Amino acid sequence: MAEKVRDYKKLAQTIVDIIGADNIVSAGHCATRLRLVLKETPADAKEKISALPGVITVVENGGQFQIVIGPHVVDVYNEFKNLVDLSESNDLEAEKKSIMSRVIATMSAVFAPFIYILAAAGLLQGILILSKLAFPTFEATGTYRIFDMISWAPFTFLPILIAITASKHFKANTYIAIACCAALVSPTLAELTQQVASGKAIDLFGLPLSQTTYTSSVLPPLILVWILSYVERFVEKRLPGVVKQLFTPLICLVLMVPLTLLVLGPASSVVAAGIANGYNWLVQVAPPLAALIIGGFWQIFVIFGVHWGITPVIMANFDMYGRDSFQAFQTIAVTAQVAATLGVFLKANSKELKNVSLSAVITGLFGITEPAIYGVTLRFKRPFIYGCVAGGIGAVVASFFEPYYFAYAGLPSILTSVNAIDPKMPMSFIGLVIGLGVAIVTAIALNLIFGFGETPAKDEKIKAQVEDAPGTPVEVLKNVAISSPLQGEVMPLSQVPDEVFSSGMMGQGVAIMPTDNKVYAPFDGKVAMVTGSKHAIGLTADNGIELLIHVGLDTVQLNGAPFNYKVAEGDRFKAGDVLLEFDLAAIKQADLSPITPIIVTNSAAYAMITPENELKNINTNEPILQIN
C-alpha cells in the first residue's frame, strides 16, 4: 500500500528540504497548486517532488514552480508557511519572466483563439485538393473558385485576426488595432507594392516604399499592435477628454501605419524570412537531420509552449515559396504521438485507461495532441518517448522523398496529410504517407513489445490520495447524477487550455463557459475547502463525492476581487443554494478565461464518471455528470 499522504507537515517539510528554504522568493496557492517563485530551480527538484506521495505533478509555468496537490493544497500551504520565512507582501504576479517566456506567452495568447479557424480553412483546402484530383474539370467552375476564396480568406486577412487577439493581450484598443492592420491588407496597398516590385519608385514622406506585402503576415501586425499599445496610452494621457475619442485613433493611425510600412514591416519580414531560409538551408544540406529534429522533438516543443513561435517561419515559407516542409515533418511527429497513445489503448488492461486513451486518439486525429500528451503518454513517460522516437524515424524516412505541404494546416495531423498532394511533385505525398506509416507502426510496436507500465507511480499516488478520503464505496453508488453548478455552455475537460485539468490529473469531470455570475450547490453536502483568492470551492456530498469548482483559469491572480463567497468552510448547504458569486465581466476584462472546470477529485473511488451533456448550453437544474 502506498504511503499515507495526509501527513501534510511531512510533505511540506520534504518540499522545503528539496528546494531549500533560502531559495524560495515567495509562495502562494490556488485551489489545486502550491505556487512558488524560486531564485533558481535545483536540477532534480521537479523529478523528486513529482515522485512524492500526495503530489500529482509539477508544472513550471510563467516563472512559477507549481506543485499540483489537489484540494488539500491549503493544508500543505498552511504547514509550508510555518517552515519558510515569507514576507507578508508575497505577490506572485510580480515575478519577472524571461524574455523567452514572454514571447512564448504572447504567441500563445495571440494564436490560440483563432487556431481552429486556420485549421478549418486548411482542411477545406485539403478537400479542394482531393476534389481537383477526382474531378479535374471542377477547378474551372465558379463553385471551386468561391470555396477556394473561402479557404484562403483567413490567411489573406490574418493580420486582422492578429489585431483582435493581440490588442486584447497588449491591452490596446481593438478597433484602432483593426483599423491599422486593415490598412496593411488593403487592395490599394497591394497594388502599390506590386508597382514597386515591377520597378516603379513610390515614396512615403520622401522615403522609398518597400515591396513587402502583408497578407498572411504574422510579425508585422503583431509588432504593430505591441507598439500601438504604448502609443495609445501615451496619447490618451496627454489629450483633453473632449477630443480624446476622436484624436487618439487619428494620431495612432497616422503614426503606426507609416511606421510599419517604412520600418517595422520590412524589418520583421526580413527576420522571419531569414529564419525560414536558415531552416530551408538545413533541409537542403542535410534533410534527414532537419527531419529528425522536427519529427523527434516537436512534441517536446509543444510541452514547453515554444511551438507557437514557429508560426511566422511557416507562414514565411508559404509566402516565399508556396510550400513548406516543416509542417510535413510536424504531421509525422503529431501522428506518432497519437499512435503511441493508440498503443497504450491496445496494451492497457484498465477500462478507465482505455477510455481515456481512445478519447485522446480521436482528438489527436484532428491535430490536438495535448490530451494524448498530458493524459496518456507523458503520464506514463515511456509512450511519450516511443512517440518521439517513432516521429523521428518516420520523418527521416520521409525526408528522402522531399515531402512538402502546399496548403497551410492550422493543426497538422493525419487528416491534413492531403495538403502534401501536388501533381508537379508526386513523391511529396507518397513520401509523407510512407513516413506516417513507419511512425505509426513503430510507435504501436514499441508499446506492445516493451510495454508502458500498467500501474505507474502516479496512479498509485492518486489512489493513495483517495484511500482514506470519505466516500461511499463504488458498489453502493449506482447512476448518481450531479446537477450543473453553473449556467453556461458545457465543454469536454480535454478542451480546457490548462494541462493539469485537461489531462485528468486532478480527476474526471467537465468544464463550463459560464453565462451567469453564480455558482449553485449541485447536491446536499458541506463546504470542504475555500481559498483566500475566492476563485474556487471544494464540496463534499453526503454520499462522499468530492467536487472542485474552479471559476476561471489563472484567476488566482485577481486576488479575490471579482469573487464573493456566500458560505464558509465547514458550512452545510442544500442543492440549489448559492455558494459563490463572481463578476464575469471583470474576469474577461482582466484578459483571463472564465472557463470553469468541474472536477470529481476522488474520481479513483468510482468505476466511471461520464458527462451527461457535452457541447450544449445547460441550466443549473440539469444533470451534468453521471457517477457509476
Side-chain angles (χ1 to χ4, degrees):
M1 179 177 173
E3 182 181 354
K4 183 179 176 70
V5 298
R6 296 300 172 90
D7 190 344
Y8 305 120
K9 184 175 182 179
K10 179 179 179 182
L11 177 56
Q13 183 65 64
T14 306
I15 292 173
V16 172
D17 291 342
I18 292 173
I19 294 175
D22 295 337
N23 191 33
I24 300 170
V25 177
S26 59
H29 71 88
C30 60
T32 60
R33 312 178 196 195
L34 181 63
R35 295 170 177 259
L36 308 178
V37 175
L38 307 179
K39 295 176 183 177
E40 59 180 7
T41 304
D44 56 352
K46 185 173 182 180
E47 291 73 19
K48 286 184 177 180
I49 293 176
S50 295
L52 295 175
V55 174
I56 297 174
T57 190
V58 173
V59 177
E60 293 183 273
N61 185 31
Q64 294 181 11
F65 190 84
Q66 302 176 6
I67 304 172
V68 184
I69 293 171
H72 300 290
V73 67
V74 178
D75 301 291
V76 178
Y77 175 75
N78 288 337
E79 297 292 346
F80 186 87
K81 66 183 182 181
N82 293 329
L83 302 171
V84 181
D85 181 18
L86 300 174
S87 66
E88 293 297 323
S89 60
N90 286 338
D91 185 358
L92 294 183
E93 295 179 71
E95 80 277 3
K96 293 186 177 180
K97 301 178 182 179
S98 67
I99 294 177
M100 181 58 69
S101 295
R102 282 180 284 176
V103 169
I104 292 170
T106 297
M107 288 293 185
S108 177
V110 169
F111 289 104
F114 60 76
I115 190 65
Y116 289 100
I117 303 299
L118 301 185
L123 283 175
L124 179 56
Q125 291 178 12
I127 293 171
L128 291 175
I129 290 173
L130 293 177
S131 300
K132 287 191 296 182
L133 292 175
F135 308 100
T137 59
F138 179 58
E139 189 175 4
T141 66
T143 301
Y144 172 86
R145 294 175 64 185
I146 292 296
F147 279 100
D148 185 56
M149 176 271 295
I150 294 172
S151 72
W152 279 106
F155 302 104
T156 301
F157 298 101
L158 183 61
I160 293 179
L161 294 177
I162 291 174
I164 296 171
T165 55
S167 63
K168 294 179 180 179
H169 180 69
F170 294 122
K171 296 179 173 56
N173 184 297
T174 299
Y175 299 103
I176 297 177
I178 291 174
C180 291
C181 291
L184 300 183
V185 293
S186 166
T188 301
L189 179 61
E191 293 175 6
L192 292 174
T193 55
Q194 285 179 357
Q195 293 176 22
V196 173
S198 64
K200 182 178 180 180
I202 299 177
D203 68 273
L204 174 60
F205 297 134
L207 299 173
L209 184 67
S210 167
Q211 61 181 346
T212 304
T213 57
Y214 299 96
T215 54
S216 303
S217 64
V218 172
L219 290 182
L222 185 59
I223 296 174
L224 183 156
V225 177
W226 174 48
I227 296 178
L228 169 67
S229 66
Y230 291 99
V231 172
E232 180 189 336
R233 286 191 286 270
F234 179 85
V235 170
E236 280 198 333
K237 288 180 180 178
R238 286 157 178 80
L239 287 177
V242 68
V243 297
K244 185 179 296 185
Q245 289 185 333
L246 174 62
F247 281 90
T248 297
L250 173 63
I251 295 172
C252 289
L253 278 168
V254 299
L255 282 177
M256 291 310 305
V257 175
L259 178 64
T260 302
L261 296 180
L262 292 174
V263 181
L264 303 179
S268 59
S269 295
V270 167
V271 172
I275 298 173
N277 285 331
Y279 164 75
N280 294 329
W281 172 83
L282 182 61
V283 172
Q284 293 296 322
V285 174
L289 178 58
L292 179 64
I293 293 173
I294 307 306
F297 295 94
W298 177 252
Q299 294 302 326
I300 297 176
F301 299 157
V302 172
I303 291 175
F304 289 101
V306 299
H307 57 302
W308 296 106
I310 202 64
T311 303
V313 176
I314 295 172
M315 298 304 294
N317 268 340
F318 280 108
D319 182 54
M320 293 186 295
Y321 308 110
R323 66 188 187 188
D324 171 68
S325 64
F326 196 104
Q327 287 206 313
F329 298 136
Q330 185 182 348
T331 297
I332 296 173
V334 168
T335 303
Q337 203 64 219
V338 176
T341 307
L342 180 59
V344 172
F345 168 78
L346 296 173
K347 184 77 171 178
N349 295 318
S350 164
K351 183 178 179 180
E352 180 184 357
L353 181 56
K354 281 185 175 290
N355 289 337
V356 171
S357 55
L358 181 60
S359 174
V361 168
I362 293 172
T363 57
L365 293 176
F366 295 91
I368 307 167
T369 56
E370 281 80 359
I373 293 174
Y374 296 113
V376 182
T377 61
L378 199 59
R379 169 183 168 190
F380 292 94
K381 294 184 177 62
R382 273 187 279 173
F384 181 78
I385 296 173
Y386 297 158
C388 292
V389 171
I393 295 174
V396 168
V397 171
S399 70
F400 293 101
F401 299 87
E402 297 186 354
Y404 289 96
Y405 261 30
F406 299 93
Y408 180 84
L411 293 172
S413 68
I414 194 169
L415 296 181
T416 65
S417 59
V418 295
N419 291 15
I421 297 176
D422 189 321
K424 297 178 182 178
M425 297 184 67
M427 295 308 294
S428 171
F429 180 67
I430 294 173
L432 181 61
V433 170
I434 293 174
L436 287 170
V438 169
I440 292 170
V441 171
T442 302
I444 294 175
L446 288 172
N447 270 287
L448 297 180
I449 295 172
F450 299 105
F452 60 89
E454 184 70 20
T455 55
K458 190 167 292 184
D459 274 3
E460 293 300 325
K461 287 187 291 179
I462 294 173
K463 290 178 182 178
Q465 288 177 332
V466 300
E467 281 179 355
D468 61 333
T472 306
V474 64
E475 290 78 16
V476 178
L477 289 180
K478 296 292 183 182
N479 298 321
V480 175
I482 296 179
S483 297
S484 175
L486 295 98
Q487 177 181 312
E489 183 180 346
V490 183
M491 60 190 296
L493 200 61
S494 60
Q495 292 185 8
V496 175
D498 184 313
E499 66 270 20
V500 172
F501 292 117
S502 63
S503 66
M505 290 180 185
M506 291 300 306
Q508 300 303 305
V510 293
I512 291 181
M513 179 67 77
T515 56
D516 191 22
N517 292 329
K518 292 183 177 66
V519 175
Y520 297 87
F523 43 61
D524 294 348
K526 70 175 183 178
V527 179
M529 180 203 71
V530 294
T531 67
S533 52
K534 304 178 185 178
H535 69 292
I537 189 167
L539 312 176
T540 300
D542 289 341
N543 59 15
I545 295 172
E546 295 182 355
L547 198 70
L548 171 67
I549 304 170
H550 193 287
V551 182
L553 304 178
D554 288 327
T555 44
V556 63
Q557 60 187 271
L558 297 176
N559 295 319
F563 303 98
N564 183 27
Y565 281 131
K566 296 299 181 180
V567 290
E569 187 170 324
D571 284 357
R572 287 200 56 80
F573 53 79
K574 293 290 186 181
D577 290 350
V578 177
L579 304 176
L580 171 64
E581 292 182 351
F582 57 93
D583 189 337
L584 184 60
I587 294 174
K588 293 180 179 179
Q589 188 174 3
D591 230 7
L592 296 173
S593 171
I595 292 175
T596 300
I598 301 166
I599 310 292
V600 178
T601 54
N602 59 340
S603 294
Y606 310 109
M608 185 175 295
I609 299 170
T610 54
E612 285 278 13
N613 296 283
E614 286 198 7
L615 300 176
K616 61 166 283 188
N617 291 325
I618 195 169
N619 293 314
T620 53
N621 60 346
E622 297 178 335
I624 193 172
L625 286 173
Q626 187 77 23
I627 310 293
N628 287 297

